[in-house]
């Protein structure tokens, strides 16, 4: 069991991902924007962050940049993104993995199992 | 969205951002959404905000005033930084929607069924500070986005044409003599006749008679460019090459009347067209979802063509091959036409003969007699007047003296 933070403004996607990972026995916290996710990570020091790209207040890219400068250099971050995968891939060093939406659930679960 | 031609993946996340404010709306209410939107507009340096789902905001609001306040606040925040706002909502009860009083413009999109087909129409219900053309306009959604076809009769000016006395050759041997020396330049002629009466052949002669200074447009519903050229070849009629002749084929499927009209007028303007053969006026009539509009539509179309100095021959297919009934288009349509020529087959002494009659030539002399014509090598040729066959025009002729 690991503690995981999910950041996605699409609450249906966040809920679905949350249930999927809870079924695997993980403890999940969800944030609906980048700032909230930053706060949760700082509070909880999770084993993994799964973040969307486009979110209110702070993008997934900005979130990752802040966290990497903020002492979270080793925490794995997975970016799941609709159309902005290409932008994120120019900053490859920030993320441990980049998944394009729609992604395969099993692929994500395998990735999570490898990272936590 | 990626099925649309103009979708550019590179722009998403860069110059276009998609954000969900649903949770903020649900958990914290309209005021928090306003705050969030203000921050996001500034953060993204946005010039356009599309707010999809104003109906959700209405559902969350406790009073109508709350909705109005929300709309006004979002607008003023956006206006402050020169950002245009587009609210999308469903027209549940369009007229009483409180937000309508707050915004600068309201565009109503509707989707109707006419017979078995679907017709998309929009109307500008409000456009503050700018003139709009009221009523419904058809639009279509294709992979290149939305195209709107304003009602032709609503957007054409009221300028009168400047009639000229110049005549242009009809291209049919012997016909110019019957119509006072040729078709008046810039006039609209209706060529009536049942199927097989020679309308398209006459059109080919008309097209072939164009001088190099008179670009021609064939706008039809029946023959493709290839078929038309094949037909001309079979008749030994030499058509201008593609520089001199534009052929636009509009299959008789689900057409939009204003789209057809626009296509026609666009082609006339861009090609500097001086001669137009419009094969199948009925194609326009069929494309119209509202039959009541056809007279006004046709008046606008013909006025525009006259103003552009286009000499037009349009065909009208009559249903009956023989018989006493001569159905012309409605009297209003006939009145809009400058000239009326009828083609028929008549029976004389148990033989079918082709007959042409000039029924109307606006402001010019014409030969009122019924004439025989033949279709052969080179197209149509007027042979000469009928001797005397009282009712030949109805197709029920009797020889003299019987």
């Amino acid at each position: 069991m690991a503690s995981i933070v999910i950041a996605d403004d699409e609450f249906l996607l966040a809920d679905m991902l949350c249930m999927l990972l809870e079924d695997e026995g993980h403890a999940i916290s969800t944030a609906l924007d980048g700032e909230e996710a930053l706060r949760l990570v700082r509070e909880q020091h999770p084993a993994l962050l799964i973040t969307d790209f486009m979110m209110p207040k702070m993008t997934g890219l900005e979130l990752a940049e802040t966290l990497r400068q903020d002492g979270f250099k080793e925490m794995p971050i997975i970016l799941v993104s609709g159309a902005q995968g290409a932008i994120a891939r120019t900053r490859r060093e920030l993320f441990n993995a980049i998944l394009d939406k729609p992604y395969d659930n099993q692929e994500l679960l395998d990735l999570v199992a490898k990272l936590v | 969205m990626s099925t649309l031609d103009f979708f550019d993946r590179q722009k998403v996340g860069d110059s276009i951002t998609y954000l969900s404010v649903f949770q903020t709306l649900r958990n914290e209410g309209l005021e928090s959404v306003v705050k969030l939107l203000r921050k996001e507009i500034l953060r993204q340096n946005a010039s356009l905000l599309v707010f999809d789902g104003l109906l959700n905001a209405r559902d969350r609001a406790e009073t109508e005033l709350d909705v109005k306040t929300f709309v006004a606040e979002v607008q003023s925040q956006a206006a402050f930084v020169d950002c245009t706002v587009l609210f999308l909502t469903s027209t549940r009860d369009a007229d009483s929607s409180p937000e309508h009083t707050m915004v600068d413009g309201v565009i109503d999109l509707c989707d109707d069924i006419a017979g078995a087909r679907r017709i998309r129409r929009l109307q500008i219900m409000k456009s503050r500070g700018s003139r709009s053309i009221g009523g419904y306009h058809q639009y279509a959604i294709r992979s290149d986005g939305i195209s709107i076809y304003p009602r032709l009769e609503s957007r054409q000016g009221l300028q009168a044409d400047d009639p000229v006395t110049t005549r242009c050759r009809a291209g049919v041997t012997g016909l110019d003599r019957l119509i006072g020396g040729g078709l008046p330049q810039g006039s609209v002629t209706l060529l009536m006749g049942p199927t097989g009466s020679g309308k398209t052949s006459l059109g080919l002669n008309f097209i072939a008679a164009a001088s190099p200074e008179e670009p021609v447009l064939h706008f039809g519903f029946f023959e493709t460019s290839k078929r038309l050229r094949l037909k001309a070849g079979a008749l030994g009629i030499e058509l201008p090459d593609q520089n001199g002749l534009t052929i636009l084929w509009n299959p008789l499927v689900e057409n939009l009347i204003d789209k057809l009209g626009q296509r026609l007028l666009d082609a006339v303007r861009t090609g500097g067209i001086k001669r137009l053969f419009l094969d199948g006026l009925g194609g326009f009539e069929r494309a119209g979802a509202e039959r009541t509009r056809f007279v006004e539509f046709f008046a606008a179309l013909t006025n525009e063509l006259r103003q552009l100095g286009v000499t037009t021959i349009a065909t009208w297919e009559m249903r009956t091959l023989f018989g006493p009934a001569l159905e012309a288009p409605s009297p209003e349509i006939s009145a809009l036409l400058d000239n009326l020529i009828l083609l028929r087959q008549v029976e004389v002494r148990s033989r079918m003969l082709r007959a042409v009659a000039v029924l109307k030539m606006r402001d010019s002399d014409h030969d009122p007699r019924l004439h025989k014509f033949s279709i052969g090598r080179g197209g149509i040729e007027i042979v000469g007047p009928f001797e005397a066959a009282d009712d030949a025009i109805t197709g029920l002729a009797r020889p003299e003296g019987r």
Side-chain angles (χ1 to χ4, degrees), chain B residues 169-190:
Chain B
R169 290 167 55 222
V172 172
T173 312
L175 183 62
D176 286 353
R177 261 190 302 112
L178 306 186
I179 56 176
L183 294 167
Q185 196 182 314
S187 67
V188 179
T189 303
L190 189 72

Side-chain angles (χ1 to χ4, degrees), chain B residues 186-240:
Chain B
S187 67
V188 179
T189 303
L190 189 72
L191 186 61
M192 291 166 48
T195 182
S197 59
K199 298 188 295 295
T200 304
S201 304
L202 194 148
L204 290 173
N205 276 136
F206 173 67
I207 291 169
S211 69
E213 293 76 41
E214 297 174 301
V216 194
L217 171 64
H218 182 286
F219 192 91
F221 295 91
F222 313 110
E223 283 100 351
T224 58
S225 170
K226 227 172 175 175
R227 277 190 184 281
L228 206 67
R229 289 193 177 275
L230 213 64
K231 189 165 183 162
L235 284 168
I237 297 173
E238 200 180 324
L239 296 181

Side-chain angles (χ1 to χ4, degrees), chain A residues 9-11 32 35 53-59 62 82-84 86-87, chain B residues 9-10 12-14 16-20 22-23 26-27 36 39-40 43:
Chain A
D9 59 333
E10 286 284 351
F11 81 103
L32 294 160
E35 281 180 8
F53 187 104
M54 274 193 289
M55 289 182 295
K57 297 178 186 172
M58 193 180 237
T59 64
E62 290 162 346
Q84 310 77 40
I87 303 175
Chain B
R9 194 166 288 277
Q10 301 297 321
V12 184
D14 185 18
I16 300 169
T17 306
Y18 179 88
L19 299 173
S20 169
F22 187 79
Q23 282 299 80
R26 194 174 69 171
N27 301 340
L36 180 63
K39 274 192 199 155
E40 290 302 320
R43 191 164 78 93

Side-chain angles (χ1 to χ4, degrees), chain B residues 113-131:
Chain B
I113 296 292
R117 61 188 287 208
R118 171 196 216 179
I119 307 251
R120 294 184 194 270
R121 299 191 295 178
L122 64 77
Q123 67 165 323
I124 312 296
M125 295 175 72
K126 178 177 181 182
S127 75
R128 196 178 275 163
S130 59
R131 211 169 63 85

Side-chain angles (χ1 to χ4, degrees), chain B residues 85-367:
Chain B
V85 184
L86 201 56
F87 288 106
L88 311 185
T89 187
S90 303
T91 47
R92 198 165 44 180
D93 35 7
D95 293 335
S96 62
S97 296
E99 57 270 22
H100 282 202
T101 56
M102 309 303 294
V103 294
D104 298 308
V106 177
I107 302 173
D108 178 27
L109 305 175
C110 34
D111 206 338
D112 303 323
I113 296 292
R117 61 188 287 208
R118 171 196 216 179
I119 307 251
R120 294 184 194 270
R121 299 191 295 178
L122 64 77
Q123 67 165 323
I124 312 296
M125 295 175 72
K126 178 177 181 182
S127 75
R128 196 178 275 163
S130 59
R131 211 169 63 85
S132 66
I133 301 175
Y136 285 113
H137 305 285
Q138 292 178 341
Y139 71 98
I141 304 176
R142 286 181 305 260
S143 59
D144 62 348
I146 288 187
S147 304
I148 302 166
Y149 306 100
R151 294 192 322 283
L152 196 75
E153 66 273 23
S154 69
R155 69 192 181 114
Q156 301 299 340
L158 296 170
Q159 309 101 294
D161 61 315
D162 198 6
V164 290
T165 50
T166 324
R167 298 273 169 165
C168 68
R169 290 167 55 222
V172 172
T173 312
L175 183 62
D176 286 353
R177 261 190 302 112
L178 306 186
I179 56 176
L183 294 167
Q185 196 182 314
S187 67
V188 179
T189 303
L190 189 72
L191 186 61
M192 291 166 48
T195 182
S197 59
K199 298 188 295 295
T200 304
S201 304
L202 194 148
L204 290 173
N205 276 136
F206 173 67
I207 291 169
S211 69
E213 293 76 41
E214 297 174 301
V216 194
L217 171 64
H218 182 286
F219 192 91
F221 295 91
F222 313 110
E223 283 100 351
T224 58
S225 170
K226 227 172 175 175
R227 277 190 184 281
L228 206 67
R229 289 193 177 275
L230 213 64
K231 189 165 183 162
L235 284 168
I237 297 173
E238 200 180 324
L239 296 181
D241 65 11
Q242 58 201 32
N243 295 321
L245 169 62
T246 309
I247 298 174
L248 289 182
W249 173 58
N250 308 276
L252 266 179
V253 289
E254 286 187 2
N255 289 320
L256 299 178
I257 186 167
D258 298 297
K259 185 183 172 191
L260 288 173
Q262 196 163 313
R263 186 177 194 216
L264 172 62
L265 291 175
D266 284 351
V268 165
R269 286 200 191 93
T270 52
I273 299 298
K274 290 293 158 216
R275 276 177 185 244
L276 164 67
F277 185 63
L278 206 171
D279 202 5
L281 205 52
F284 279 93
E285 199 191 24
R286 289 202 67 80
E290 309 95 357
R291 291 277 153 122
T292 46
R293 274 186 57 206
F294 190 57
V295 172
E296 289 77 8
F297 171 87
F298 192 62
L301 185 68
T302 50
N303 279 345
E304 191 70 11
L305 290 170
R306 284 190 198 98
Q307 268 171 41
L308 293 165
V310 183
T311 309
T312 304
I313 295 185
T315 67
W316 181 263
E317 178 129 329
M318 290 167 23
R319 267 181 302 232
T320 43
L321 286 172
F322 308 103
L326 280 178
E327 355 100 32
S330 68
E332 294 95 336
I333 297 270
S334 304
L336 293 170
L337 301 157
D338 301 303
N339 320 311
L340 208 53
I341 297 176
L342 174 73
L343 302 182
R344 292 220 68 158
Q345 300 209 47
V346 297
E347 185 197 342
V348 177
R349 292 197 180 98
S350 305
R351 281 176 57 207
M352 297 308 300
L353 296 176
R354 293 183 185 275
V356 55
V358 180
L359 303 183
K360 168 181 173 182
M361 285 297 290
R362 182 165 284 165
D363 305 329
S364 66
D365 206 13
H366 66 271
D367 191 329

